[in-house]
Amino acid sequence: MPVPRRFDRRPPERDTTRINERIRVPQVRLIGADGEQLGILDTNDALRKAQEANLDLVEVAPNSKPPVTRLLDYSKYKYEQEQKQKAARKHQQQVNVREIKLRPKIATHDYETKKGHVERFLKHRDKVKVTIMFRGREQAHPQRGRDLLQKLFEDLGGLATIESAPLQEGRNMSMLLGPSKEVDKLLGEDQNEAASADAPATDAPAPAADTPDAADAPAGDEAPAADAPAAADAPAADES
């Protein structure tokens, strides 16, 4: 038998801000478009001023006596408020809490694997809840769990800060770790190295075009030295 679909029959959220004809009180305190105080007016007169200015009459303080209203472009105002809320949500940093579970007698290889997971979570700026699970007679030795948690914190090499000290609840003992300032330094160094690797290599300067290589110079075309006298101009030897 197919499961019947469930529809959300709640009405959509409605904008409860009263504007223009939805303002039913006889008088309002009016603020102009530039923030100037226009005093207490009849609602009809305030509506007339809004229509003359091609703006909306918006109730901004409904609990005042009389309610405070303002002249503004309500559609533009709502759009700007939505953009501000989006920008605020964009800059909010979402913090995730991850959990790693260990046993008091954990093997060395498993311990190193779990520690690697904790390092990865911290480098992603997540918090990590490390839980030691005791079984049977292990509950009689809670100090082993504390020692293991302390060892893990020290082996992380400054990547973590203890936000919640080890606390035992029943068969489990938990400690909350958060990323330290060292994580930001490491991430900054990684980003700088990545930027350096992506930068184009500088081309070596090409040799000057007017300077020929020695191997390309023509042989036998060297001009005679300017100071050397020509053979025709040399005086003949006296005959005896």
Side-chain angles (χ1 to χ4, degrees):
M1 181 177 179
V3 179
R5 297 177 61 185
R6 295 182 179 180
F7 296 96
D8 187 0
R9 300 185 181 279
R10 293 175 299 178
E13 293 186 3
R14 177 183 171 187
D15 188 359
T16 57
T17 303
R18 288 191 285 264
I19 64 172
N20 297 330
E21 287 78 10
R22 290 172 60 185
I23 301 175
R24 303 299 181 92
V25 294
Q27 288 184 328
V28 294
R29 184 181 298 276
L30 184 61
I31 301 175
D34 297 328
E36 67 275 16
Q37 298 286 339
L38 301 180
I40 298 176
L41 302 176
D42 290 339
T43 303
N44 292 332
D45 294 338
L47 279 171
R48 191 177 304 110
K49 285 184 175 293
Q51 293 171 357
E52 292 174 354
N54 197 22
L55 295 173
D56 297 306
L57 181 66
V58 182
E59 191 177 55
V60 295
N63 296 327
S64 300
K65 294 183 179 181
V68 181
T69 59
R70 183 165 185 169
L71 300 179
L72 52 86
D73 187 341
Y74 189 60
S75 299
K76 181 179 178 181
Y77 170 77
K78 282 190 65 177
Y79 174 78
E80 292 176 350
Q81 292 299 112
E82 291 174 357
Q83 294 303 312
K84 290 180 180 179
Q85 292 175 0
K86 287 182 180 179
R89 288 194 298 267
K90 184 177 181 181
H91 289 88
Q92 286 178 349
Q93 185 176 3
Q94 185 177 2
V95 178
N96 297 321
V97 179
R98 307 299 187 99
E99 186 173 11
I100 292 291
K101 295 183 178 181
L102 308 176
R103 293 294 310 281
K105 297 180 181 180
I106 187 171
T108 303
H109 180 269
D110 293 339
Y111 172 79
E112 293 296 331
T113 301
K114 299 282 188 178
K115 187 186 75 172
H117 293 330
V118 175
E119 290 178 348
R120 178 163 53 86
F121 294 150
L122 292 172
K123 289 180 180 179
H124 283 83
R125 294 189 176 92
D126 294 334
K127 296 184 179 182
V128 184
K129 180 181 179 182
V130 186
T131 302
I132 305 294
M133 300 180 299
F134 296 96
R135 292 181 182 176
R137 296 180 180 179
E138 293 176 347
Q139 299 181 62
H141 305 281
Q143 188 59 37
R144 293 181 180 178
R146 294 189 182 91
D147 294 342
L148 181 58
L149 292 175
Q150 183 63 29
K151 180 179 185 301
L152 175 62
F153 171 71
E154 293 174 356
D155 290 346
L156 290 173
L159 292 178
T161 58
I162 298 178
E163 296 193 359
S164 179
L167 177 65
Q168 186 169 4
E169 297 178 356
R171 296 183 177 182
N172 297 331
M173 178 182 292
S174 300
M175 176 179 68
L176 184 62
L177 299 177
S180 66
K181 295 181 179 179
E182 191 69 21
V183 174
D184 296 331
K185 294 180 181 179
L186 291 175
L187 292 178
E189 292 176 359
D190 293 341
Q191 292 174 357
N192 293 335
E193 291 178 359
S196 300
D198 295 338
T202 306
D203 296 331
D210 298 333
T211 306
D213 295 338
D216 298 334
D221 293 340
E222 296 179 357
D227 297 334
D233 297 336
D238 295 337
E239 297 178 358
S240 55

